[in-house]
Amino acid sequence: MPYSIRILLESSLRNLDGDMVTQDDVHKLLDWKTSSQWKKDIQFRPERVILQDFTGIPSLVDMATMRDELSAQGLPPELVNPRCPVDFAIDHSLEVFHYRETDSCARNERMELAKNKERFEFLKWSQQAFSNLNIIAPGSGILHQMNLEKCSKVAIHKNGLIYPDTAVGTDSHTPMVGGLGVLSWGLGGIEAEGVMLGLPLSLTVPKVFGINLKGKLPPTATITDLALKLTNLLRRRGGLVGNFVEFFGEGVKTLSVTDRATLANMCPEYGATSALFPIDENTMEYLALTGRCPERCQIIKDYARNSGISPLSSFGDDIDYTGDIMEIDLSEVEPGICGPKRPQDWIPLRDCKKDFEMCLEKKDGFKGFGIADPKKRAILADTNGMSITHGAIVMAAITSCTNASNPNLLVAAGLLAKKAREKGLQIPPFIKTLFGPGSRSITSILEKANLIAPLEELGFRVIGYGCSMCIGHSGPLEENVEKAIKTGEIIGCSVSSMNRNYEGRLHPYIKANYLMSPPLVVAFALAGNINIDFDKSPIGHNQQGRPIFLYEIWPSQEEINGILGKVMNQELFQEILSDSSIQQRWDSVESISGLTWNWKSDSTFVKKSPFLEDFSMEVPMVKNISNANCLLKLGNSISTDFISPLSGILPNSDAGQYLQNHGVNASELSSFGFRRGNYEVMSRGTFSHARLENKMVETLGPFTIHVPSNQTMSVYNAANKYKENNTPSIIIAGMDYGIGNSRAWAAKGSKMIGVKCVIAESFDRIHKSNLAGMGILPLQFKPGQNAEILKLSGLEQFSIQLEGESLISGQDINVLVSTGMEFETTLRLDNQLEVDFFKNGGFLPYVVRNFAK
């Protein structure tokens, strides 16, 4: 039996109560292969929940709203409280205002406190109002690195029992601690709220795929190269959505915990729900290194050795995994990058030039830009005639929980920078260079190794500690570069160590975005253009004009290991733990006390959740969806970035107009990510992405046809017109609807603008659950069918019979089209809890009704 299944089984046996967790759940896990094949569900109780502030604040707003409703019902508000430990890291609030000044980090952090005053006041109140809530102060580091370094228990010792640590989080990269042997995964904010409030998590018994790692990485390859190649291989293999992977084999022993964490972190990119490594001697060394006390380490070691949950060795070939085991020979891994628009589109580094030139001329798509003049140049203003061409690197960012938390990779980047400076190399001035370490431990390691200075000399100054660039908080490009890209129609490029590269994610004007290891980020920044073959062309020239090639400055693993062996020790982590300056900054934030929040009517950041308005204790009857209009007809891979953008709010947008009408200056609109606590802003931002492709209109952007009037208007305005006339609306989509980050607001926003149903070829697991949690019906086209095959234009009306239906997971639901055609769909309420959420009109009414009972 796979070890992840053993962990689920142990939890079911320990939490067996005959009500929420039953003998049926135990039997399904004992026969896990059959259960996974038939997609049977169990009820699972995770031990911990982790949150970040973008997804966490809406959850706390919902809980504060539920407290108000319980008070109105004459019940104690404190009934709404986390029932399990919750770690909440404020890591999404950092923006890049300063990046080249010597005090960039301090200035950005001061701006962070000032701009987020309302949000932080609400979080400060939450900290004292809710028990079991641990707030990790801004400036500490990225949530997943904090989870790895500090929060994860690995094994929990409580009430005389020792049992596995498990975690779920409102961020899709939660599986990163699988590198530490902790079973974990990302889920929707609505599901997370349920876990926090004592509900079990409905989980479809997963298939578990084994990946046998052999050999050892060659000197030229990094763990990022393996992670990117693995993403490509597993995406091509398919079948991982909703399922787990376990890594085993002799190659695992050659990987440090931080390397394993890098592989586990990329879990959502290669399509799996969770990834797990064994607990072994490397695990124990890391736990001791990062300051876990000796007594706890011994408990974990004894438990791993004796429990059968995870041996103090690699998982073995004797495990009965799903299907064929995938074997990967680490010695065959070569340097590579992914792009220009998706993380699974892997390119060998040696083919980078050829691939980019192909993409320029290929039809616009995931691997094409459709450029008519591939040799076009654009002059940069005020730079003495300097010009940029297609492929110019305009932003280089060392960032992300995936790579910027890995000491091996960051020391490699620092060594490459050091050697580049010794050779007299410099990065072109038009490139915006950014460095956001995953935690302060990374900075300390680089400082002690004397590698911060060369990075800073190249322009990579620390801008702060958080997820700034990964969520579009990278700030503007150099003004002359931005102008050249817009007016000259140049395909500018970003190079970053991020985990996702969807178009517009890093910056709205950068169309080509490439993922790579931190040292390669530095290398491409030095070269200045993605259109280079490092084997044949120099990375630059020294002051004497001699060409310098990449191989001359590429650091060896022996050099990296030597540095890490000298500077990475327990004292380093203890110094960080004892540093009180971060907590003192957070302590300076003032707020109210009490069990309920004092909602401010004029707040533009935090408003009472609307999902309990007109609340009744009676469960409403399920009604038919009759004569609905199609709000949007969308294609494949519509990510949550397109449904609920994180991007900056434009002054002329619906959300921008609302905020300005409420006294916010156009220069202070901020981003949707910051405004997630305000439903008025978020509903106006739903489907507001500048490059949304709605097949009902010819123009890219947040536009649609209001069918009754045949007028083209913003999606928000069309949705409002349907709501004013009590006309239900639906969305039609292709495959992988809702992929990307686990954004509850992608579902909440859809609810707010009146969407009753989404009919798609397939759904992202988390987004589908969130739709159910907001009372939106998820229906899936039958295999072999989609909007094009059925010749649906989106201009028809649609009726869906629900009254009198029992609503059983997987049942057929008939859709009647106004043209007279009918087609069958599959109901994607995949478990009883999702059915209950839908019948109650959403998660919040369901919870309040159950608490009141």
Side-chain angles (χ1 to χ4, degrees):
M1 179 182 287
Y3 287 91
S4 50
I5 298 295
R6 298 185 196 192
I7 293 170
L8 296 176
L9 179 59
E10 186 280 338
S11 175
S12 292
L13 289 167
R14 180 166 38 84
N15 290 295
L16 189 65
D17 59 9
D19 180 20
M20 291 292 193
V21 181
T22 68
Q23 287 282 358
D24 191 39
D25 296 316
V26 174
H27 291 308
K28 287 174 183 176
L29 287 168
L30 288 170
D31 190 18
W32 72 276
K33 274 204 164 183
T34 302
S35 299
S36 65
Q37 187 67 35
W38 291 100
K39 299 185 183 301
K40 294 182 179 181
D41 290 330
I42 61 165
Q43 302 300 303
F44 170 63
R45 290 192 180 277
E47 298 305 319
R48 295 185 297 120
V49 174
I50 64 170
L51 306 172
Q52 37 90 342
D53 53 305
F54 269 18
T55 53
I57 285 180
S59 293
L60 294 180
V61 166
D62 285 348
M63 292 174 71
T65 301
M66 284 188 269
R67 280 194 167 186
D68 286 353
E69 189 58 45
L70 284 179
S71 292
Q73 298 289 335
L75 295 167
E78 61 267 28
L79 283 175
V80 174
N81 192 82
R83 306 294 175 89
C84 65
V86 177
D87 293 303
F88 187 120
I90 305 173
D91 67 352
H92 275 51
S93 301
L94 184 73
E95 294 180 272
V96 180
F97 296 100
H98 305 277
Y99 59 97
R100 285 203 177 129
E101 301 93 334
T102 55
D103 59 346
S104 292
C105 180
R107 296 174 75 175
N108 287 330
E109 288 179 342
R110 286 196 295 270
M111 291 287 288
E112 180 183 20
L113 279 178
K115 285 197 67 176
N116 290 277
K117 183 174 183 293
E118 282 188 53
R119 298 171 75 242
F120 288 178
E121 286 174 349
F122 176 72
L123 289 176
K124 203 65 180 291
W125 166 79
S126 299
Q127 188 173 21
Q128 62 81 43
F130 297 108
S131 59
N132 276 336
L133 176 64
N134 170 43
I135 299 285
I136 300 172
S140 301
I142 297 175
L143 168 64
H144 307 301
Q145 184 65 11
M146 295 296 95
N147 198 16
L148 195 72
E149 287 184 12
K150 297 165 64 174
C151 302
S152 289
K153 308 293 188 285
V154 184
I156 295 172
H157 188 194
K158 184 178 179 182
N159 298 329
L161 296 175
I162 303 174
Y163 47 89
D165 182 15
T166 56
V168 292
T170 56
D171 190 286
S172 51
H173 292 102
T174 299
M176 180 170 173
V177 287
L180 198 58
V182 177
L183 184 64
S184 56
W185 61 88
L187 76 177
I190 296 157
E191 289 179 300
E193 286 178 46
V195 174
M196 286 191 285
L197 292 171
L199 294 175
L201 181 66
S202 283
L203 174 71
T204 301
V205 176
K207 297 176 181 177
V208 184
F209 296 91
I211 300 179
N212 183 6
L213 301 183
K214 297 182 174 182
K216 184 178 180 181
L217 287 172
T220 55
T222 67
I223 195 65
T224 311
D225 297 317
L226 173 59
L228 295 178
K229 181 60 179 175
L230 184 68
T231 299
N232 171 263
L233 291 172
L234 292 178
R235 278 290 179 182
R236 283 193 289 150
R237 172 175 172 160
L240 266 68
V241 174
N243 297 311
F244 295 176
V245 296
E246 289 186 1
F247 292 90
F248 68 95
E250 290 301 309
V252 168
K253 298 177 183 179
T254 70
L255 302 179
S256 65
V257 164
T258 50
D259 281 350
R260 297 173 188 182
T262 294
L263 290 182
N265 181 285
M266 287 291 283
C267 202
E269 280 68 48
Y270 48 75
T273 294
S274 187
L276 190 67
F277 281 84
I279 299 170
D280 61 9
E281 293 299 339
N282 288 2
T283 316
M284 303 315 303
E285 287 177 12
Y286 182 81
L287 291 171
L289 177 71
T290 50
R292 272 75 164 192
C293 69
E295 293 80 11
R296 172 167 291 280
C297 289
Q298 190 60 49
I299 287 171
I300 294 168
K301 188 172 185 177
D302 291 343
Y303 183 72
R305 178 183 290 127
N306 300 316
S307 66
I309 295 296
S310 182
L312 271 174
S313 62
S314 177
F315 300 154
D317 291 301
D318 57 330
I319 301 298
D320 186 20
Y321 289 114
T322 302
D324 295 333
I325 288 172
M326 174 180 279
E327 293 189 354
I328 296 178
D329 188 340
L330 300 184
S331 67
E332 295 177 357
V333 175
E334 61 176 309
I337 63 176
C338 283
K341 301 181 183 182
R342 296 191 303 180
Q344 64 262 44
D345 293 329
W346 181 78
I347 310 155
L349 185 62
R350 52 187 161 78
D351 291 341
C352 175
K353 178 179 176 66
K354 181 172 65 176
D355 187 87
F356 181 73
E357 290 173 347
M358 176 203 72
C359 288
L360 282 178
E361 299 186 27
K362 199 172 179 180
K363 181 182 176 182
D364 192 20
F366 291 129
K367 291 291 289 185
F369 298 104
I371 298 300
D373 183 5
K375 296 184 179 180
K376 192 171 185 178
R377 306 182 74 86
I379 304 297
L380 295 178
D382 304 321
T383 54
N384 298 320
M386 183 181 289
S387 64
I388 60 172
T389 62
H390 294 307
I393 308 294
V394 295
M395 185 178 290
I398 301 173
T399 181
S400 90
C401 50
T402 309
N403 294 301
S405 300
N406 188 310
N408 194 304
L409 295 171
L410 271 298
V411 167
L415 280 170
L416 192 142
K418 181 174 182 287
K419 294 183 178 187
R421 293 299 299 129
E422 289 170 351
K423 298 285 188 182
L425 300 181
Q426 190 57 273
I427 289 174
F430 59 80
I431 300 176
K432 185 170 187 176
T433 46
L434 305 169
F435 180 24
S439 78
R440 292 181 177 268
S441 65
I442 294 297
T443 313
S444 293
I445 289 167
L446 292 174
E447 285 174 345
K448 291 180 184 299
N450 296 318
L451 294 177
I452 278 284
L455 284 166
E456 290 179 341
E457 289 170 14
L458 290 181
F460 289 102
R461 290 189 180 276
V462 173
I463 53 87
Y465 301 86
C467 299
S468 51
M469 286 79 84
C470 286
I471 53 175
H473 290 176
S474 53
L477 299 172
E478 296 292 320
E479 185 177 354
N480 54 1
V481 173
E482 201 162 292
K483 183 177 179 181
I485 288 176
K486 286 193 289 185
T487 60
E489 298 180 341
I490 294 296
I491 303 296
C493 295
S494 75
V495 291
S496 78
S497 59
M498 287 165 46
N499 39 49
R500 289 181 180 154
N501 56 342
Y502 304 123
E503 188 173 349
R505 185 177 180 88
L506 184 61
H507 190 281
Y509 296 131
I510 303 177
K511 292 187 176 182
N513 299 278
Y514 290 91
L515 307 179
M516 59 193 66
S517 66
L520 276 181
V521 171
V522 178
F524 272 105
L526 288 164
N529 201 296
I530 202 75
N531 197 10
I532 183 173
D533 182 340
F534 283 118
D535 291 335
K536 299 177 181 177
S537 301
I539 196 170
H541 295 77
N542 65 14
Q543 293 177 343
Q544 290 73 41
R546 186 179 82 78
I548 306 296
F549 286 82
L550 179 58
Y551 72 85
E552 297 181 66
I553 59 173
W554 191 261
S556 70
Q557 192 59 51
E558 287 74 16
E559 291 175 284
I560 297 167
N561 291 343
I563 287 175
L564 290 174
K566 290 179 181 178
V567 305
M568 193 170 168
N569 50 43
Q570 288 181 333
E571 288 72 25
L572 181 143
F573 286 94
Q574 287 169 355
E575 286 174 11
I576 295 165
L577 288 171
S578 62
D579 183 0
S580 61
S581 60
I582 305 302
Q583 190 60 40
Q584 286 172 0
R585 275 198 318 125
W586 176 240
D587 290 342
S588 70
V589 176
E590 297 181 354
S591 189
I592 64 169
S593 60
L595 294 174
T596 56
W597 174 247
N598 182 25
W599 305 101
K600 300 174 183 177
S601 59
D602 61 346
S603 174
T604 58
F605 282 98
V606 179
K607 295 185 80 69
K608 187 174 180 177
S609 174
F611 304 114
L612 288 173
E613 290 179 359
D614 303 320
F615 174 77
S616 166
M617 289 301 297
E618 297 298 319
V619 178
M621 295 290 293
V622 175
K623 296 181 180 180
N624 295 332
I625 299 173
S626 302
N627 301 316
N629 283 117
C630 182
L631 183 64
L632 293 156
K633 181 187 173 188
L634 305 168
N636 297 332
S637 300
I638 297 298
S639 71
T640 49
D641 287 308
F642 285 93
I643 304 171
S644 184
L646 289 175
S647 57
I649 299 171
L650 300 176
N652 62 347
S653 66
D654 292 313
Q657 291 295 307
Y658 165 83
L659 288 169
Q660 289 170 86
N661 291 339
H662 285 75
V664 180
N665 292 328
S667 61
E668 298 176 350
L669 297 178
S670 195
S671 73
F672 287 107
F674 287 105
R675 304 273 181 184
R676 277 184 174 180
N678 184 334
Y679 70 89
E680 294 279 14
V681 173
M682 296 306 294
S683 59
R684 287 165 171 81
T686 306
F687 294 107
S688 66
H689 197 286
R691 294 190 63 78
L692 179 71
E693 185 176 353
N694 176 15
K695 296 184 179 182
M696 295 171 66
V697 294
E698 294 182 359
T699 307
L700 286 179
F703 306 107
T704 193
I705 290 177
H706 177 250
V707 177
S709 66
N710 198 34
Q711 290 183 326
T712 299
M713 59 186 69
S714 74
V715 174
Y716 178 75
N717 285 337
N720 266 353
K721 285 183 176 292
Y722 289 133
K723 288 172 68 178
E724 288 167 3
N725 292 306
N726 293 317
T727 302
S729 62
I730 69 167
I731 290 171
I732 297 174
M735 294 185 289
D736 298 327
Y737 182 73
I739 62 170
N741 284 13
S742 51
R743 290 185 193 147
W745 259 111
K748 289 181 175 179
S750 299
K751 173 83 168 184
M752 286 297 302
I753 63 175
V755 174
K756 302 296 184 184
C757 172
V758 178
I759 308 174
E761 285 186 72
S762 64
F763 290 91
D764 173 79
R765 174 187 62 86
I766 295 175
H767 184 61
K768 185 273 304 173
S769 295
N770 282 340
L771 290 174
M774 293 315 301
I776 297 173
L777 188 70
L779 298 179
Q780 189 160 313
F781 286 109
K782 292 292 183 181
Q785 291 188 342
N786 57 35
E788 273 58 51
I789 290 172
L790 294 172
K791 297 182 179 179
L792 301 175
S793 67
L795 302 179
E796 307 88 349
Q797 287 188 307
F798 301 83
S799 296
I800 302 167
Q801 175 70 35
L802 296 175
E803 292 177 14
E805 294 286 346
S806 56
L807 297 184
I808 300 171
S809 175
Q811 79 180 75
D812 291 339
I813 297 290
N814 196 59
V815 180
L816 175 64
V817 188
S818 56
T819 58
M821 179 185 68
E822 295 183 44
F823 61 94
E824 281 192 341
T825 62
T826 300
L827 179 66
R828 286 300 312 276
L829 299 173
D830 289 345
N831 52 65
Q832 188 56 48
L833 197 57
E834 289 184 0
V835 172
D836 290 342
F837 287 166
F838 177 76
K839 287 182 175 179
N840 276 266
F843 163 77
L844 267 70
Y846 171 87
V847 169
V848 173
R849 289 186 183 110
N850 277 272
F851 275 146
K853 289 177 183 178

